[in-house]
Amino acid sequence: MATPQSLSAEQLFQRTNPEQFNFDTTANLDGPVTVVGQERALDAVRFGIGIQQKGYNLYALGPHGLGKYDVISRFIEERAGEMPIPSDWCYVHNFDQSYKPRALELPAGRGVQLRDDMAQLLEELQAVLPAAFESEEYHAQRQAIEEELKERQESSFEELKNKAQERNIALVQTPSGLAFAPMREGEVINPKDFLSMPELEQKQVQGEVEGLQEELQRIMRQMPQWQKETRDRVKELKREVATFTVAPLFEELNNKYADLSEVVRYLENVQAHVIENVDNFLQKNSDEENPLAAMMRGQRATSQPPSFVEYEVNLLVDNSKSEGAPVIYIELPTYQNLIGRAEHISQMGALLTNFTLIKPGALHEANGGYLILDALKLLQQPYAWDGLKRALRTREVTIESLGQMYSLISTVSLEPEPIPLDIKVVLLGERLLYYLLSQHDPEFGELFKVMADFDDEMERNAENSLAMARLIASLVQRDELRHFDRGAVARILEYSAREVSDKERLTTHLEKITDLLREANYWAGEAGRDVVGAQDVQRSIDEQVRRASRLRERMQESILRDVVFIDTTGEATGQINGLSVISVGSYMFGRPSRITVRVQMGKGEVIDIERRVELGGPIHSKGVFILSGFLGSRYATDRPLSLSASIVFEQSYAGVEGDSASSAELYALLSALAEVPIKQSFAITGSVNQHGQVQAIGGVNEKIEGFFDICKARGLTGEQGVLIPDSNVHNLMLRDDVREAVAAGQFSVYAVSHIDEGIEILTGIAAGELQEDGSYPKGTINYRIVQRIDEMAERLRTYNTPAPQDSEDGRDQSRGAHEEE
């Protein structure tokens, strides 16, 4: 197996040639571009917006900062502009069940008209009804009815009085009411004279009085009925006068809304209620005389009695000024902000509500159009996700307080009539959130059938590079920045490739690109330049790193001060420099770590100390187990693996996760077995499989630069370098100073595909290939390992051989031998 050569400086970076662009600055580029590299997601968005079937709502998934909202809102707004304007919705009083307000649907713009017409109607009713009931004609008719009752009562009493006088009995008024008393010669007889009368005459008088008393009681029993009849006649008179007065007003409204049967039905109910409760319009409003009293009760002081609220219209959704379908996005998707709510007012220590206090939610406002929500924010709000699913499933919006829904309160509250829902909901969120919802919420797949997967990278080619340049021009124009020359655009494309750690790809993370543009514009202004150049872009990148690099510098300082042991020169057996990546927010940097291995006799076990103390994660532990598989398959197919090895990350006080150090651990293990030192001027990264193949890892650029910074601070010798997997070469987009050191021969980067290649570089000794006779060439790494394993096996076999048993014969033979000596 040939030893690989170090990579050239050109292989460590893919430069963007500014000469490939046919423009001088972004001012030469026109045409708005808001997204690039998202063809799959855009097709899904078009499909999701276009299909009008139940359950075909969208979930746009991808990392934050890809511009999902901008892309989707632009598509939706284009579509919404071509759609019909949805209806207005109003809540009005339910005259049959006041706690269940009715919902009225009206064409766009007519909701405002109905609200204003009802307000105007109420003003007119307050004017015409009192006038009608103050007219002479009404008073004359009412007086006639009341006089008729009076005459009826008087005639009945007069007839009874005359009848009594015919029998010499008087009808007299006493403190306790009407009573009958006998008369003689036109005068009432006093009780003493009455008792002196003959008994027969007394009985005759008492009989007459009892008969008259019954007649009086009959009249008194009839009087309430006569009064009721009079009241009914007065009420009927009021009804007739009110009907005659209000009929023209309601007739005008009925004609205006004749095409809306539900509105006409509502107006008929209002008219009937006004006629039945006409007295409310005839009472003088005490609050008009004392506004302070109204304020103290929490009401506004108006000329309108509180009961008149029944005739108001609560315009819940007003589309009078809309153009096309609504597109709504809410920043805080709470349950009430989505579904709506019924507010309360405090009066005399009590909470009161009515249909005019019903407030719309986002579902009402977006009804007939589109609603865009952040999935994470939605799920963070209690009951909001359940409320949204319920509305989408039933296709109606029911305003219900959480207290009512979960029976937390027992007070009487409003139960507004549900409003039919016709809406397309778009959720924006991370991929993990989509997968979790798909796995754990059965309703999610039924309600959000369209997945728009936004990619976070795209192919790096001439077409996409030009598209990215046009996108940069659009962002510059949108944010009113200085124009960028083509050198600056080229440097941004290089930065874009570094962000995805791939020479052949570009990031689609719009937020990062936008931030870089703004910061480069600032540094160009600081330098007094009218056009942003490549040096301004580089300054922005450097400053971003500098602002976030405090922790990296402290860690490097601890290595340079020998607080953390990392060797960059010399050799050591069973010791190697591994590489890891640390993430601090959005900033990542590489750091070398010392890995050591110790080998002793045992039962073929490779001990992961990190796992034993519960500092190693499952993926790291898997990598260590793979080492055991490699050792067994290569060296123990026909011999026992009579060894025990321990592997540890030295000076590691936090968790270790990932398998990117498994190749470094294997190199150190082979070094300890072969008793061959490893050059400490190298650092290694890469995972390994059971066949010894070195596999790709992440963060390769940060890892190389992290070790390079330590070597540079101590002084580059030309012997230092890094071993990386060959499959990671296309990921290399290294800094200028690293490439310059490689070009000058002061630093090396090796790409290896197999453990045997790497061990030769690290030790300077050939790994050795298996020969036909099953042995390895003498002096090679593999030969030394086999010899060491055989020695351990033999030594272990010797130790495990049982000692001879004691016996009388044995003791006698020993004694005889001693005597011969």
Side-chain angles (χ1 to χ4, degrees), residues 470-509:
R470 295 182 61 203
L471 175 62
I472 292 171
S474 296
L475 295 174
V476 167
Q477 184 177 6
R478 185 195 69 182
D479 292 351
E480 298 181 353
L481 306 177
R482 295 174 177 83
H483 283 288
F484 286 61
D485 64 25
R486 55 185 175 182
V489 172
R491 184 65 191 95
I492 293 173
L493 293 178
E494 293 168 354
Y495 166 84
S496 177
R498 169 60 188 259
E499 282 297 303
V500 293
S501 295
D502 198 325
K503 298 175 184 177
E504 302 167 1
R505 313 289 290 180
L506 295 173
T507 184
T508 58
H509 200 286

Side-chain angles (χ1 to χ4, degrees), residues 443-570:
E443 294 178 323
F444 176 73
E446 300 174 4
L447 298 175
F448 292 87
K449 297 179 182 291
V450 182
M451 174 183 69
D453 194 352
F454 281 74
D455 205 343
D456 42 11
E457 58 185 47
M458 63 180 178
E459 185 178 354
R460 186 181 182 183
N461 53 35
E463 180 182 356
N464 286 340
S465 295
L466 181 58
M468 181 66 80
R470 295 182 61 203
L471 175 62
I472 292 171
S474 296
L475 295 174
V476 167
Q477 184 177 6
R478 185 195 69 182
D479 292 351
E480 298 181 353
L481 306 177
R482 295 174 177 83
H483 283 288
F484 286 61
D485 64 25
R486 55 185 175 182
V489 172
R491 184 65 191 95
I492 293 173
L493 293 178
E494 293 168 354
Y495 166 84
S496 177
R498 169 60 188 259
E499 282 297 303
V500 293
S501 295
D502 198 325
K503 298 175 184 177
E504 302 167 1
R505 313 289 290 180
L506 295 173
T507 184
T508 58
H509 200 286
L510 190 61
E511 185 176 355
K512 290 183 178 179
I513 299 298
T514 304
D515 290 344
L516 185 63
L517 295 177
R518 293 167 178 166
E519 293 174 23
N521 175 75
Y522 170 80
W523 292 117
E526 289 291 297
R529 283 186 281 271
D530 295 330
V531 177
V532 181
Q535 66 272 34
D536 301 311
V537 176
Q538 186 60 48
R539 175 73 183 277
S540 302
I541 297 171
D542 295 341
E543 291 294 333
Q544 287 179 354
V545 172
R546 182 173 178 270
R547 290 194 295 269
S549 62
R550 183 193 62 83
L551 182 59
R552 183 197 67 175
E553 293 174 358
R554 296 290 82 79
M555 288 188 171
Q556 290 178 355
E557 181 181 332
S558 65
I559 294 174
L560 297 176
R561 297 175 63 184
D562 292 329
V563 175
V564 175
F565 295 153
I566 297 292
D567 292 338
T568 55
T569 58

Side-chain angles (χ1 to χ4, degrees), residues 563-817:
V563 175
V564 175
F565 295 153
I566 297 292
D567 292 338
T568 55
T569 58
E571 297 179 340
T573 301
Q575 176 178 303
I576 199 167
N577 296 322
L579 293 172
S580 59
V581 170
I582 297 177
S583 296
V584 183
S586 60
Y587 176 63
M588 296 195 312
F589 62 91
R591 184 184 72 124
S593 300
R594 174 176 289 181
I595 301 172
T596 60
V597 176
R598 287 295 177 263
V599 177
Q600 55 274 340
M601 289 187 297
K603 300 179 180 179
E605 181 182 14
V606 178
I607 300 173
D608 178 10
I609 294 179
E610 306 292 339
R611 180 171 179 267
R612 288 289 180 90
V613 298
E614 298 183 353
L615 285 178
I619 298 177
H620 177 263
S621 299
K622 174 187 174 183
V624 175
F625 285 132
I626 288 174
L627 304 188
S628 300
F630 173 80
L631 291 178
S633 63
R634 171 168 285 195
Y635 303 115
T637 55
D638 55 358
R639 61 176 59 83
L641 196 62
S642 304
L643 62 87
S644 177
S646 60
I647 301 175
V648 68
F649 276 73
E650 302 288 359
Q651 295 181 286
S652 171
Y653 308 108
V656 176
E657 179 60 314
D659 64 350
S660 65
S662 59
S663 65
E665 293 170 332
L666 183 53
Y667 288 134
L669 180 56
L670 297 178
S671 168
L673 285 172
E675 297 181 315
V676 174
I678 288 176
K679 299 174 184 178
Q680 299 300 296
S681 56
F682 284 99
I684 291 83
T685 185
S687 67
V688 67
N689 61 25
Q690 294 188 102
H691 299 285
Q693 296 172 317
V694 181
Q695 302 170 142
I697 44 81
V700 63
N701 293 295
E702 290 80 6
K703 292 176 179 179
I704 294 173
E705 292 168 354
F707 187 67
F708 172 81
D709 290 338
I710 299 298
C711 295
K712 183 179 179 181
R714 288 178 172 174
L716 296 174
T717 63
E719 299 295 327
Q720 295 130 336
V722 176
L723 272 64
I724 67 170
D726 182 69
S727 52
N728 276 122
V729 173
H730 71 278
N731 299 117
L732 294 177
M733 289 292 292
L734 294 171
R735 295 190 321 236
D736 290 345
D737 56 344
V738 181
R739 304 200 308 272
E740 291 169 1
V742 170
Q746 296 179 320
F747 194 78
S748 302
V749 178
Y750 289 89
V752 298
S753 58
H754 198 276
I755 286 294
D756 290 343
E757 298 175 357
I759 199 67
E760 292 183 15
I761 297 172
L762 294 173
T763 63
I765 301 174
E769 296 184 10
L770 188 65
Q771 301 179 113
E772 293 182 0
D773 60 357
S775 63
Y776 290 96
K778 191 173 182 179
T780 60
I781 295 294
N782 288 327
Y783 175 82
R784 297 184 185 205
I785 292 174
V786 171
Q787 291 296 111
R788 180 80 183 280
I789 293 174
D790 288 343
E791 290 175 6
M792 288 185 175
E794 181 62 30
R795 194 176 301 130
L796 187 61
R797 188 181 304 111
T798 301
Y799 288 140
N800 290 336
T801 300
Q805 295 183 355
D806 292 340
S807 65
E808 293 295 330
D809 294 339
R811 286 195 294 272
D812 292 342
Q813 292 174 1
S814 299
R815 188 181 301 112

Side-chain angles (χ1 to χ4, degrees), residues 22 36 38 52 66 80 83 98 103-104 125 179 191 230 235 256 284 298 349 425 513 527 531 547 550 573 749 793:
N22 57 2
V36 292
Q38 302 291 359
Q52 300 299 318
L66 295 181
M83 295 174 62
S98 60
L104 294 181
L125 290 175
T230 301
K235 190 173 183 179
K256 184 174 183 179
K284 192 170 184 180
V425 177
I513 299 298
V531 177
R547 290 194 295 269
R550 183 193 62 83
T573 301
V749 178

Side-chain angles (χ1 to χ4, degrees), residues 315-560:
L315 181 57
L316 196 73
V317 179
D318 178 16
N319 287 311
S320 59
K321 298 180 181 179
S322 299
E323 297 180 1
V327 180
I328 304 297
Y329 174 82
I330 56 173
E331 186 67 28
L332 185 63
T334 63
Y335 176 84
Q336 291 184 333
N337 288 347
L338 278 175
I339 307 299
R341 64 194 183 278
E343 295 181 343
H344 295 72
I345 57 174
S346 176
Q347 288 187 4
M348 304 297 290
L351 293 177
L352 305 178
T353 187
N354 57 60
F355 73 95
T356 64
L357 297 176
I358 298 175
K359 304 300 179 183
L363 289 173
H364 297 100
E365 295 172 348
N367 200 3
Y370 301 89
L371 177 61
I372 305 175
L373 299 170
D374 185 287
L376 179 60
K377 293 178 180 178
L378 175 67
L379 292 170
Q380 288 175 334
Q381 300 301 324
Y383 308 107
W385 173 240
D386 289 338
L388 176 63
K389 289 192 300 179
R390 187 182 304 110
L392 293 177
R393 188 174 60 251
T394 60
R395 306 189 79 170
E396 62 182 21
V397 189
T398 302
I399 297 178
E400 188 176 16
S401 71
L402 294 175
Q404 290 176 277
M405 186 185 308
Y406 294 98
S407 301
L408 300 177
I409 57 176
S410 58
T411 57
V412 177
S413 186
L414 295 180
E415 298 179 14
E417 181 181 355
I419 292 178
L421 183 64
D422 178 18
I423 197 173
K424 183 80 71 174
V425 177
V426 180
L427 294 182
L428 311 177
E430 298 283 343
R431 294 189 177 96
L432 177 60
L433 196 55
Y434 176 84
Y435 300 140
L436 289 174
L437 287 171
S438 300
Q439 182 69 26
H440 298 289
D441 191 340
E443 294 178 323
F444 176 73
E446 300 174 4
L447 298 175
F448 292 87
K449 297 179 182 291
V450 182
M451 174 183 69
D453 194 352
F454 281 74
D455 205 343
D456 42 11
E457 58 185 47
M458 63 180 178
E459 185 178 354
R460 186 181 182 183
N461 53 35
E463 180 182 356
N464 286 340
S465 295
L466 181 58
M468 181 66 80
R470 295 182 61 203
L471 175 62
I472 292 171
S474 296
L475 295 174
V476 167
Q477 184 177 6
R478 185 195 69 182
D479 292 351
E480 298 181 353
L481 306 177
R482 295 174 177 83
H483 283 288
F484 286 61
D485 64 25
R486 55 185 175 182
V489 172
R491 184 65 191 95
I492 293 173
L493 293 178
E494 293 168 354
Y495 166 84
S496 177
R498 169 60 188 259
E499 282 297 303
V500 293
S501 295
D502 198 325
K503 298 175 184 177
E504 302 167 1
R505 313 289 290 180
L506 295 173
T507 184
T508 58
H509 200 286
L510 190 61
E511 185 176 355
K512 290 183 178 179
I513 299 298
T514 304
D515 290 344
L516 185 63
L517 295 177
R518 293 167 178 166
E519 293 174 23
N521 175 75
Y522 170 80
W523 292 117
E526 289 291 297
R529 283 186 281 271
D530 295 330
V531 177
V532 181
Q535 66 272 34
D536 301 311
V537 176
Q538 186 60 48
R539 175 73 183 277
S540 302
I541 297 171
D542 295 341
E543 291 294 333
Q544 287 179 354
V545 172
R546 182 173 178 270
R547 290 194 295 269
S549 62
R550 183 193 62 83
L551 182 59
R552 183 197 67 175
E553 293 174 358
R554 296 290 82 79
M555 288 188 171
Q556 290 178 355
E557 181 181 332
S558 65
I559 294 174
L560 297 176

